[in-house]
């Protein structure tokens, strides 16, 4: 999974799912020719990927929420004039 995860596309919306073509290429690289092994690998990698993506998007949402709260907190601070030394 870690090897295939490095092949994923990441864009402005975040990480994207591992493409089935990448899983097939991985099978070819390791010379996995059994059709049932292909299906099993596709099934398990896809399941792991769904869990990983949910976790990543949850972390991204938490980060956005914290940044928004911080921005609101900073916006509420009074911005008075500083008095300089004479």
């Amino acid at each position: 999974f870690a090897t295939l995860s490095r092949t994923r596309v990441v864009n402005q919306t975040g990480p994207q799912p591992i493409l089935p073509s990448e899983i097939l290429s991985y099978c070819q690289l390791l010379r996995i020719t059994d059709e049932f092994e292909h299906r099993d690998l596709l099934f398990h990698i896809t399941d792991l990927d769904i869990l990983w993506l949910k976790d990543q998007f949850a972390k991204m949402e938490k980060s956005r929420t914290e940044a928004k709260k911080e921005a609101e907190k900073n916006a509420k601070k009074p911005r008075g004039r500083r008095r300089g030394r004479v």
Side-chain angles (χ1 to χ4, degrees):
F1 177 77
T3 300
L4 286 169
S5 190
R6 289 187 214 115
T7 68
R8 77 176 67 248
V9 174
V10 178
N11 60 26
Q12 56 271 49
T13 61
Q16 301 303 301
I18 297 170
L19 298 172
S21 59
E22 293 296 336
I23 298 171
L24 178 60
S25 294
Y26 182 75
C27 288
Q28 290 172 345
L29 179 68
L30 295 181
R31 295 189 173 117
I32 299 171
T33 57
D34 183 30
E35 184 178 337
F36 293 108
E37 286 185 42
H38 280 173
R39 288 182 189 172
D40 282 349
L41 197 56
L42 181 63
F43 174 78
H44 293 297
I45 294 294
T46 303
D47 276 356
L48 284 171
D49 199 34
I50 290 168
L51 294 173
W52 187 88
L53 286 168
K54 283 182 181 179
D55 182 59
Q56 292 301 307
F57 281 106
K59 288 177 183 177
M60 289 169 55
E61 185 60 33
K62 182 180 177 186
S63 178
R64 277 191 215 111
T65 302
E66 289 172 357
K68 185 177 179 181
K69 285 180 183 178
E70 186 67 26
E72 289 172 356
K73 179 180 157 186
N74 289 336
K76 291 179 183 177
K77 287 184 181 178
R79 295 184 178 222
R81 256 179 82 189
R82 290 188 178 187
R83 295 182 183 199
R85 293 184 181 172
V86 182

